[in-house]
């Protein structure tokens, strides 16, 4: 499955990010904790290469803690500052603020040497669409200041947000890369709702999710979906879920489309437990 999902506004968004990066000291790049490597946009890392970069594993409540530790270690080995956060509950907020101050320390000392007055830290919040930037900003500020929505690409235009007196954040629109050619990466991005729903087949993504659960989280199939996978194929498991839940078409035929739709919603909301994809 090759995904082409690069709406016209993203060309403008990339240009804006490239122009505004010079206004900040630090780049905060949000990644989905369930598949941080699959949702890394190398364009953003290239744009921010001359800034301190903090990688934030967002939605950490939805991922396996063991996998998060592994992901964080790998990113640290690449030379990034890394932290994990659940923007809905606020868990990890204080650790992030501490990391931001640590990233700015060198710049603060430089300003002091030059006899400049202390000023607020300026950071840009970056990431692919629907990575949770608006919820993240609302969490940091402690009130609803950014529009949030389930559709990728809700954020528009330049938006500065003040966190306390010493940190200012510049929000940016989510930015994808033009073409996702790796099939598994495309399936993961679709599963995480990062690309628009017109870019993929829910049936294909639903089957992929079941294959992940069957291979890596068989107990989830039992506990959350009441299934005994055995040697059954994905199509058989889908049909079994449909029958168990009464998702039937005329003549008792399993409604696989509806089943896939509900299954993806449950995964995205964390109803299937903590699942890591990378």
């Amino acid at each position: 499955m090759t995904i082409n999902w690069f709406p016209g506004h993203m060309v403008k968004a990339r240009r804006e990010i490239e122009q505004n990066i010079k206004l900040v000291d630090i780049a905060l790049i949000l990644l989905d904790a369930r598949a941080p490597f699959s949702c890394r946009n190398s364009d953003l890392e290239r744009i921010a290469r001359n800034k301190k970069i903090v990688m934030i594993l967002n939605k950490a409540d939805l991922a396996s803690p063991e996998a998060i530790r592994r992901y964080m270690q790998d990113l640290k080995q690449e030379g990034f500052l890394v932290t994990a956060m659940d923007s809905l509950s606020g868990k990890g907020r204080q650790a992030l603020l501490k990391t931001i101050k640590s990233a700015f320390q060198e710049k603060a000392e430089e300003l002091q040497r030059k006899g400049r007055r202390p000023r607020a830290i300026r950071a840009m919040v970056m990431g692919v669409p629907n990575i949770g930037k608006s919820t993240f900003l609302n969490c940091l500020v402690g009130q609803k200041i950014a529009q949030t929505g389930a559709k990728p690409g809700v954020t528009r235009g330049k938006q500065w947000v003040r966190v306390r007196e010493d940190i200012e954040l510049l929000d940016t629109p989510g930015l994808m890369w033009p073409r996702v050619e790796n099939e598994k990466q495309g399936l993961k991005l679709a599963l995480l709702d990062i690309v628009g729903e017109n870019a993929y087949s829910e049936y294909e993504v639903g089957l992929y999710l079941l294959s992940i659960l069957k291979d890596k989280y068989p107990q989830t199939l039992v506990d959350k979906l009441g299934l005994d996978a055995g040697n059954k194929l994905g199509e058989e498991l889908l049909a079994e879920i449909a029958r168990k839940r009464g998702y039937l078409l005329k003549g008792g035929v399993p409604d696989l489309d509806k089943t896939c739709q509900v299954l993806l919603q449950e995964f995205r909301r964390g109803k299937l437990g903590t699942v890591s994809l990378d």
Side-chain angles (χ1 to χ4, degrees):
M1 182 175 73
T2 299
I3 287 180
N4 292 289
W5 192 72
F6 195 74
H9 72 264
M10 288 195 186
V11 177
K12 182 184 175 187
R14 181 163 59 191
R15 196 179 310 120
E16 284 181 6
I17 293 169
E18 287 173 336
Q19 289 170 351
N20 292 330
I21 191 71
K22 61 180 176 289
L23 303 176
V24 304
D25 310 298
I26 299 166
L28 305 178
I29 300 183
L30 264 67
L31 305 170
D32 191 305
R34 292 167 289 184
F37 298 103
S38 294
C39 58
R40 278 175 71 175
N41 184 344
S42 58
D43 277 356
L44 293 176
E45 293 176 33
R46 175 187 57 78
I47 292 168
R49 66 188 180 279
N50 294 324
K51 304 291 178 179
K52 288 277 189 177
I53 295 177
V54 179
M55 294 291 195
I56 302 162
L57 303 192
N58 197 34
K59 305 182 183 180
D61 57 311
L62 302 179
S64 151
E66 182 184 338
I68 288 176
R69 283 192 292 273
R70 189 171 68 249
Y71 299 152
M72 289 179 72
Q73 189 59 41
D74 289 346
L75 287 166
K76 284 175 183 175
Q77 286 178 351
E78 288 189 49
F80 297 111
L81 292 166
V82 191
T83 187
M85 184 163 170
D86 170 14
S87 295
L88 286 175
S89 71
K91 186 177 180 182
R93 181 179 183 274
Q94 291 305 318
L96 171 63
L97 293 174
K98 187 176 177 182
T99 302
I100 291 173
K101 295 195 81 169
S102 171
F104 184 67
Q105 187 61 36
E106 191 177 317
K107 179 73 172 180
E109 290 171 359
E110 180 189 330
L111 292 171
Q112 192 175 33
R113 281 196 305 272
K114 291 180 178 177
R116 302 269 294 276
R117 291 173 60 187
R119 63 163 173 79
I121 302 167
R122 297 170 190 147
M124 180 180 280
V125 182
M126 312 164 84
V128 294
N130 219 26
I131 201 71
K133 285 192 282 83
S134 297
T135 306
F136 168 77
L137 285 167
N138 291 336
C139 172
L140 284 192
V141 177
Q143 57 185 326
K144 188 167 184 179
I145 45 81
Q147 182 185 8
T148 61
K151 296 291 181 187
V154 164
T155 308
R156 293 286 187 274
K158 185 156 64 174
Q159 183 178 7
W160 281 98
V161 178
R162 179 163 281 244
V163 180
R164 306 184 313 196
E165 288 301 309
D166 56 350
I167 301 175
E168 292 175 351
L169 303 180
L170 178 58
D171 192 13
T172 61
L175 186 68
M176 270 293 289
W177 52 101
R179 187 178 170 89
V180 181
E181 295 183 344
N182 181 292
E183 183 179 13
K184 281 196 174 179
Q185 184 181 23
L187 288 164
K188 290 174 187 177
L189 293 174
L191 190 48
L192 296 173
D193 205 20
I194 284 169
V195 293
E197 57 191 17
N198 294 328
Y200 60 87
S201 154
E202 286 188 333
Y203 178 73
E204 194 174 347
V205 178
L207 288 179
Y208 177 68
L209 172 58
L210 285 174
S211 74
I212 290 280
L213 295 177
K214 184 178 173 183
D215 292 343
K216 294 173 65 178
Y217 301 95
Q219 198 58 41
T220 296
L221 289 175
V222 177
D223 296 342
K224 304 292 184 180
L225 298 172
L227 300 176
D228 178 13
N231 294 318
K232 294 174 187 169
L233 299 174
E235 292 88 342
E236 295 175 285
L237 294 174
L238 268 182
E240 193 173 330
I241 295 170
R243 284 191 289 268
K244 278 178 175 289
R245 298 190 175 189
Y247 300 156
L248 304 173
L249 299 170
K250 195 172 181 180
V253 176
D255 187 342
L256 301 184
D257 288 339
K258 180 176 180 179
T259 305
C260 283
Q261 189 177 50
V262 172
L263 194 60
L264 295 185
Q265 286 173 354
E266 291 183 353
F267 166 78
R268 289 164 182 164
R269 292 172 184 167
K271 291 188 176 179
L272 300 183
T274 56
V275 176
S276 294
L277 305 173
D278 275 349

